[in-house]
């Protein structure tokens, strides 16, 4: 089982008085609003866009208490379906945490979910064990912890430590110390207990974490755009016809051709495409953003979905990208109208939108993509995400220039490829056994085991060679090398992409789509922190089923293990 760091674990009764609200949950009968049928956008959408509530640091500290609890079906619904979902504070989206470099996040995570019976835990284990060759016992679906995705902070103790388990009816006080030099930008937090990650994030256990701009340094045009910024926590909240999610196989890929016949088959009907659920933004279905003509807003896009690629387009509008995965580009990359921003699970992109001088309504869509570009390797239809309504009133604002943004690049023009000495490899393996009954979810041909780790040397610079593999010849119904999503904790990496002008450009990221069998090389340096953390596939059921590996940064490594 996982490391159990005991220092700040406390019984739920210790902080019960600090928690507001009730976790009482009533049984939910099957409701017509929960049926697997298309959602009526006119009825359940088109409401004014709402940012999640903010919690701001005060005097260098952000002190807050999160209750992990089920939503109250009497008061919480999605498109007419009363839902009983695992959440933070009973809300469909977590609050936005706002801090500055050097601040400390003191977050008391109080797991108020009910303790499962031995039979319930066994049933959850059987769900995962029937589908994958596990190498460790996963956490129960009501066991949790917290990951601060993208933050460059310590992975040990009660900081960003995802090897902890917080069982039901217990809690932990997180103390996450941001270095004074931490890059400014858009990050996020989410549940990360191995075995329950997909179920919990698929319920909405995620929220934005913003490290705010320094008004003394940021360009005035950027600060003006920040004044009316929008937080987009893009979600695929999955719930069954009872308004619940307790089945990890619901998170598996839908059939390639999700027809009524395919979707009626056992094991398919609860999946995302067959369920006909809709992508939500901060828990809302197709919200409406109102802007004045010429107004500029900053939109922080965060793909928190368990398996959804989003090709983000605002019809009739250029997308002025200023940051990736939290890190400022040091320029403004303008993607012309109709060219999508690529969002994969775990990705962030900060964009500036300058509203058209032509008033009217513009669709914000997840553009249709072909199977060649799809995470699920099937043609994906267009999805309507939101509406941009441009009113007649005018506020002609300026965009910051690339020259103004250049000083914000956190690592300057550093080229890690010129410093790299070591080579690390990651091969994501999704394969099947000879009977076609169980799958292998592996990193470098091993399923996750917290006792197996790769050692890395503090301050070393390595190239990481990333690929995916499928089944070898001779396996019946062999699985080809499918796309997976590489995510590494603690330290970002440098990657080369094609910019809007078609030329190569170096960018910093912490999460990256890997299209096998092609090999993708990225470069990273292990700065500041020693300790254990993980790399994994950010298709979250893949992680739960074994596609994760522990890394340990040490001062003097004994040997690199692969």
């Amino acid at each position: 089982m996982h490391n159990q760091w005991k220092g700040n674990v406390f019984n739920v009764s210790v902080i019960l008085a600090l928690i507001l609200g009730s976790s009482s949950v009533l049984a939910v009968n099957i409701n017509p609003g929960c049926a697997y049928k298309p959602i009526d956008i006119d009825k359940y959408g088109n409401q004014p866009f709402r940012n999640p509530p903010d919690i701001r640091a005060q005097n260098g500290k952000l002190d807050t208490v999160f209750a992990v609890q089920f939503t109250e079906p009497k008061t919480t619904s999605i498109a007419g379906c009363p839902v009983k979902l695992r959440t933070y504070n009973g809300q469909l989206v977590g609050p936005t945490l706002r801090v500055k470099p050097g601040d400390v996040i003191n977050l008391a995570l109080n797991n108020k979910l009910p303790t499962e019976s031995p039979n319930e835990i066994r049933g959850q284990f059987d769900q995962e064990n029937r589908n994958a060759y596990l190498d460790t016992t996963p956490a129960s679906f009501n066991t949790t912890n917290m990951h601060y995705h993208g933050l460059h902070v310590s992975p040990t103790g009660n900081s960003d430590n995802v090897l902890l388990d917080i069982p039901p009816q217990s809690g932990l006080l997180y103390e996450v110390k941001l270095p004074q030099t931490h890059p400014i930008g858009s990050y996020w937090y989410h549940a990360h207990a191995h075995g329950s990650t997909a179920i919990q994030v698929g319920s909405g256990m995620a929220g934005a974490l913003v490290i705010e701009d320094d008004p003394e340094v940021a360009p005035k045009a950027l600060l003006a755009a920040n004044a009316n910024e929008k937080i987009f926590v893009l979600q695929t909240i999955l719930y069954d016809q009872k308004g619940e999610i307790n089945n990890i196989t619901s998170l598996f890929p839908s059939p390639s051709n999700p027809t009524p016949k395919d979707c009626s088959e056992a094991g398919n009907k609860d999946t995302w495409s067959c369920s006909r659920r809709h992508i939500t933004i901060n828990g809302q279905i197709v919200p409406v953003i109102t802007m004045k003509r010429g107004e500029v807003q900053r939109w922080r896009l965060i793909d928190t979905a368990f398996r959804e690629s989003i090709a983000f387009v605002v019809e009739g509008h250029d997308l002025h990208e200023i940051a990736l995965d939290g890190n400022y580009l040091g320029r403004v990359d303008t993607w012309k109208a109709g060219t999508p921003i690529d969002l994969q699970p775990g990705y962030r992109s900060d964009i500036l939108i300058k509203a058209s001088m032509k008033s009217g309504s513009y669709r914000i869509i997840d553009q249709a993509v072909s199977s060649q570009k799809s995470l699920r390797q099937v043609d994906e239809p267009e999805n309507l995400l939101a509406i941009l309504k441009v009113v007649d009133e005018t506020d002609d604002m300026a965009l910051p220039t690339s020259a103004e943004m250049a000083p914000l690049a956190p690592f300057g023009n550093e080229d890690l490829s010129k410093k790299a000495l070591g080579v690390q490899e990651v091969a994501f393996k999704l394969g099947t056994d000879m009977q076609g009954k169980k799958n292998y979810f592996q990193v470098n041909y091993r399923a996750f085991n917290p006792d197996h780790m790769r050692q890395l040397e503090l301050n070393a610079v390595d190239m990481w060679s990333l690929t995916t593999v499928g089944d070898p010849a001779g396996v019946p119904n062999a699985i080809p090398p499918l796309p997976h999503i590489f995510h590494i904790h603690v330290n970002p990496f440098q990657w080369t992409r094609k910019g809007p002008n078609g030329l190569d450009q170096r960018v910093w990221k912490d999460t990256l789509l890997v299209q096998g069998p092609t090999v993708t090389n990225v470069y990273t340096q292990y700065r500041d922190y020693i300790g254990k953390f993980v790399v994994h596939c950010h298709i979250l059921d893949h992680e739960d089923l074994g596609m994760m590996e522990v890394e340990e940064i040490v001062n003097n490594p004994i040997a690199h293990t692969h």
Side-chain angles (χ1 to χ4, degrees), residues 26 69 84 96 130 195 205 219 312 345 410 416 468 485 523 544:
L26 301 177
Q69 63 189 67
K84 178 186 171 185
T96 299
R130 279 195 302 269
M205 286 178 64
F312 189 91
L416 286 186
T468 81
I485 299 170
Y523 300 86
D544 282 334

Side-chain angles (χ1 to χ4, degrees), residues 368-506:
V369 296
S370 66
S371 59
Q372 289 82 11
K373 294 183 178 181
S374 163
L375 185 61
R376 294 189 294 113
Q377 297 285 277
V378 296
D379 292 341
E380 294 194 24
E382 175 185 284
N383 294 296
L384 179 63
L385 300 176
I387 300 293
L388 170 59
K389 182 180 179 182
V390 180
V391 297
D392 288 334
E393 191 177 348
T394 302
D395 184 6
D396 195 7
M397 297 169 62
L399 289 161
T401 65
S402 287
E404 289 174 324
M405 296 299 294
L408 302 187
F411 307 107
N413 292 318
E414 184 175 23
D415 183 355
L416 286 186
S417 68
K418 295 179 179 178
K419 300 180 180 179
L421 293 177
V423 177
Q424 303 293 329
E425 295 182 62
V426 169
F428 289 120
K429 166 70 182 289
L430 171 54
T432 189
D433 61 20
M434 296 298 284
Q435 284 74 45
K437 293 183 178 179
K438 274 192 182 186
N439 290 119
Y440 299 94
F441 293 87
Q442 300 172 325
V443 176
N444 294 347
Y445 305 96
R446 294 189 66 147
F448 171 71
N449 185 316
D451 296 325
H452 169 71
M453 64 198 73
R454 179 195 321 234
Q455 284 198 334
L456 306 164
E457 185 174 4
L458 183 66
N459 293 320
V461 182
D462 283 345
M463 181 182 87
W464 284 65
S465 180
L466 315 174
T467 192
T468 81
V469 295
D471 283 319
V475 174
N477 301 311
I479 297 175
L482 296 175
H484 295 284
I485 299 170
F486 173 77
H487 173 51
I488 187 167
H489 293 201
V490 183
N491 293 288
F493 54 80
Q494 199 169 54
W495 170 61
T496 300
R497 72 168 186 181
K498 296 291 183 186
N501 59 4
L503 300 178
D504 286 349
Q505 56 176 212
R506 291 191 302 273

Side-chain angles (χ1 to χ4, degrees), residues 221 224 291-297 353-358 391-399:
M291 294 178 69
K292 301 171 185 176
R293 297 189 305 157
E295 181 184 352
V296 177
Q297 291 185 359
I353 293 284
K354 184 174 173 64
S356 172
M357 296 307 289
K358 181 180 179 182
V391 297
D392 288 334
E393 191 177 348
T394 302
D395 184 6
D396 195 7
M397 297 169 62
L399 289 161

